[in-house]
Amino acid sequence: MDSYQTPWCIILCLMECSRRGKLRKHVNCLRKWFRMGLEPLAGRYNILIDGLFRNGRAEAGYTLFCDLKKKGQFVDAITFSIVVLQLCREGHLEEALQLVEEMEGRGYVVDLVTITSLLIGFHKHGRWDWTERLMKHIRDVNLVPNVLKWKAEMEVSMKRKSKKKDYTPMFPTKDIREIMNLMGSTDSEMDTNLGSEDDRVKDEENPPSDIDQWSSSPYMDKLANQVNSDDHSSQLFSLSRGQRVQEKGMDSFDIDMINTFLSIFLAKGKLNLACKLFEIFSDMGVNPVSYTYNSMMSSFVKKGYFNQAWGILSEMGENVCPADIATYNVIIQGLGKMGRADLASSVLDKLMKQGGYLDVVMYNTLINALGKAGRIDEANNLFEQMRASGINPDVVTFNTLIEVHSKAGRLKKAYKFLKMMLDSGCSPNHVTDTTLDFLGREIEKLRYQKASIMPNKDGSS
DNA sequence: GTAGGGTTAG
């Protein structure tokens, strides 16, 4: 279909990103299109297809893929990989395998990323036994067995660590002031905010002489020393040589691979396994990236293990990406849950000064933290600021606002947000249902109260 | 350009 070759598809994609408030994706997408010019090459369609999948337009993505495939010249191995991933996400494992077969048939290399997508899909949907079937399809006979071997060895290493009990503090405990120091905030405003609650300003103790004074991570040094003394696990599988290669084969068993497996543990709530994995690759000198830290932190914060979460933050040290919005989001979420939503604005200032920006997720987190802390007006102000800056509220925003106002007894306002949500074409979800149940009960309660007060006042029913 | 991270209830 010719329409796919017109700039309309580009505009559509950008509109999708924009509509959902994915400003960062939106901007990245724009940059990519510009960088690539306007030739109809596979790479550009890959971005478009991926964008459609990620923005709830799977059908459009599949249709586009099929049309392009018929034409032949606009698809490549990555296109297939993207579609295989989407099929896995949706649990269409049979179709995913068929597509892999077709890939091989057409001579495209099935690489590590594709394999990993499939294995995660199998794992999620309880079809681990399908790996056998997968192997039959892949021309590179060693790739799947190597992944499985890597996984098995990783699990053996983790068993060795099992003497430790769950959630042992891997990291030193930090207090709020230290957290703020980690964020590099030296503002006087911060000191005012912190007030007298935290007067014992602890300077970092001088590190023991056997630790490199210049190291950004004394904890890593400690681990490194441990590795030197005992431990044979570092020979089990080699990660340090992991380098990006054109077609991702065995050389790509790197931090990306670890992040992938880490996310499986975290998704299942197995924080202890995730910690062990973290320790193992730390032992081996593999450097975690923001992605890794953010996933771990988020899981800890969700469970209320704030010390561990802040410990990770301190572990990141200088490696904190100064404008990583996901990191900041976790911090604000954590502060909110610790009852220190009042510190959010200071953290935000820091983010903005470093060139960061707020997206829909960040606004939702902030509105939630402020609302739960009873700072309803501030939450409302943020909502206005959000809309003024061109970010459309989504279902999470509205759910949060409805809940916060309901619980604060501002039922009319809560109802107003419900109406606003429906008027803007935003579909409610299962969380909305639960929240509305609560709102409904509150409204009933109020009616009942009024009804029982009225007769006493004027004698009528 | 493809795996993997950040938000809402109960």
Side-chain angles (χ1 to χ4, degrees):
Chain A
M1 266 176 244
D2 279 338
S3 59
Y4 289 134
Q5 289 177 48
T6 71
W8 281 108
C9 62
I10 303 172
I11 293 162
L12 187 77
C13 179
L14 294 176
M15 280 170 62
E16 283 294 326
C17 295
S18 187
R19 191 174 64 80
R20 301 189 146 239
K22 303 201 170 178
L23 198 61
R24 182 172 43 170
K25 267 201 176 308
H26 182 199
V27 172
N28 284 341
C29 189
L30 250 179
R31 279 208 199 103
K32 283 173 198 160
W33 290 107
F34 279 126
R35 214 168 21 213
M36 291 166 126
L38 285 167
E39 312 298 309
L41 296 169
R44 204 153 33 254
Y45 286 108
N46 291 344
I47 297 171
L48 177 56
I49 292 173
D50 185 52
L52 289 170
F53 285 150
R54 285 175 196 272
N55 287 286
R57 299 285 304 274
E59 282 308 316
Y62 289 132
T63 310
L64 175 55
F65 172 66
C66 290
D67 289 344
L68 292 174
K69 206 169 63 171
K70 270 180 213 147
K71 291 188 195 164
Q73 64 202 105
F74 301 130
V75 291
D76 59 14
I78 305 275
T79 330
F80 275 89
S81 185
I82 291 169
V83 179
V84 166
L85 168 65
Q86 179 62 21
L87 288 169
C88 288
R89 276 193 198 119
E90 296 184 355
H92 302 309
L93 302 179
E94 192 72 56
E95 289 87 341
L97 272 178
Q98 277 171 21
L99 201 58
V100 168
E101 201 174 353
E102 190 183 331
M103 269 179 94
E104 284 283 0
R106 288 173 181 244
Y108 296 118
V109 176
V110 181
D111 70 354
L112 184 60
V113 174
T114 321
I115 302 265
T116 312
S117 306
L118 284 155
L119 290 180
I120 289 175
F122 293 164
H123 193 273
K124 245 193 245 165
H125 298 93
R127 301 311 318 240
W128 197 245
D129 51 313
W130 280 26
T131 45
E132 297 256 343
R133 290 184 57 191
L134 179 59
M135 273 185 253
K136 285 184 197 138
H137 290 311
I138 314 269
R139 197 170 302 160
D140 180 350
V141 288
N142 288 324
L143 199 47
V144 178
N146 278 336
V147 176
L148 297 178
K149 191 168 149 243
W150 186 91
K151 182 175 173 288
E153 284 169 350
M154 185 176 79
E155 279 161 0
V156 167
S157 298
M158 287 195 295
K159 280 206 184 101
R160 287 192 191 162
K161 297 245 174 204
S162 62
K163 32 191 164 73
K164 285 195 180 179
K165 73 171 204 256
D166 283 6
Y167 320 126
T168 38
M170 303 191 302
F171 307 102
T173 304
K174 294 280 169 185
D175 61 29
I176 295 264
R177 184 177 293 274
E178 282 174 293
I179 294 165
M180 292 314 173
N181 286 341
L182 287 170
M183 302 312 298
S185 192
T186 53
D187 299 353
S188 52
E189 187 204 353
M190 181 70 75
D191 295 331
T192 322
N193 280 339
L194 284 160
S196 57
E197 181 169 323
D198 247 316
D199 274 335
R200 47 187 187 97
V201 186
K202 256 195 317 198
D203 283 323
E204 290 287 341
E205 309 102 25
N206 292 327
S209 53
D210 59 326
I211 287 177
D212 181 4
Q213 300 255 356
W214 297 101
S215 168
S216 62
S217 170
Y219 183 72
M220 280 293 190
D221 295 339
K222 208 179 83 197
L223 283 175
N225 288 337
Q226 280 171 13
V227 173
N228 291 338
S229 54
D230 59 328
D231 221 278
H232 310 280
S233 62
S234 48
Q235 268 97 52
L236 273 176
F237 42 102
S238 76
L239 294 160
S240 41
R241 66 194 173 93
Q243 289 290 319
R244 287 273 178 191
V245 289
Q246 205 60 39
E247 285 157 359
K248 300 215 177 77
M250 285 305 292
D251 285 347
S252 291
F253 281 72
D254 55 3
I255 187 63
D256 288 351
M257 196 71 172
I258 293 165
N259 285 335
T260 305
F261 277 93
L262 197 63
S263 78
I264 292 181
F265 298 138
L266 293 176
K268 292 187 155 195
K270 305 202 169 183
L271 264 63
N272 55 334
L273 281 181
C275 290
K276 284 176 202 159
L277 179 56
F278 188 96
E279 279 191 73
I280 287 168
F281 70 76
S282 296
D283 286 352
M284 300 167 73
V286 176
N287 285 325
V289 294
S290 298
Y291 233 91
T292 326
Y293 288 123
N294 289 340
S295 355
M296 301 272 295
M297 261 196 292
S298 168
S299 297
F300 281 131
V301 165
K302 282 201 183 90
K303 291 219 175 193
Y305 299 129
F306 299 117
N307 286 344
Q308 279 79 358
W310 302 137
I312 292 176
L313 196 58
S314 73
E315 181 56 36
M316 292 172 81
E318 292 165 8
N319 296 324
V320 175
C321 174
D324 187 331
I325 196 169
T327 307
Y328 278 86
N329 200 62
V330 176
I331 290 164
I332 287 177
Q333 193 194 359
L335 287 174
K337 292 203 170 170
M338 291 167 88
R340 295 307 306 267
D342 54 310
L343 296 175
S345 58
S346 311
V347 177
L348 273 190
D349 284 348
K350 180 79 186 154
L351 173 65
M352 306 307 272
K353 271 183 201 145
Q354 284 170 324
Y357 56 88
L358 305 184
D359 65 1
V360 67
V361 176
M362 185 58 113
Y363 273 114
N364 291 343
T365 307
L366 280 165
I367 290 172
N368 184 52
L370 291 171
K372 295 276 160 68
R375 300 166 166 253
I376 313 284
D377 293 329
E378 286 173 63
N380 286 336
N381 288 342
L382 263 179
F383 177 70
E384 291 308 326
Q385 183 192 318
M386 171 182 182
R387 292 208 296 182
S389 62
I391 293 175
N392 286 329
D394 64 5
V395 63
V396 178
T397 323
F398 286 120
N399 288 344
T400 307
L401 284 165
I402 293 170
E403 196 221 337
V404 157
H405 284 87
S406 298
K407 295 215 163 140
R410 304 193 185 187
L411 304 185
K412 270 189 189 163
K413 190 92 175 163
Y415 184 78
K416 212 186 94 190
F417 280 117
L418 171 64
K419 193 169 175 305
M420 202 189 291
M421 169 177 177
L422 298 173
D423 288 345
S424 70
C426 174
S427 309
N429 62 10
H430 59 288
V431 180
T432 322
D433 287 342
T434 315
T435 310
L436 288 185
D437 281 345
F438 181 85
L439 175 61
R441 284 199 302 274
E442 290 298 302
I443 290 177
E444 271 313 302
K445 231 192 270 174
L446 196 68
R447 278 204 189 122
Y448 180 78
Q449 276 170 10
K450 274 188 184 162
S452 54
I453 290 167
M454 297 286 272
N456 293 339
K457 277 196 169 173
D458 60 17
S460 68
S461 53

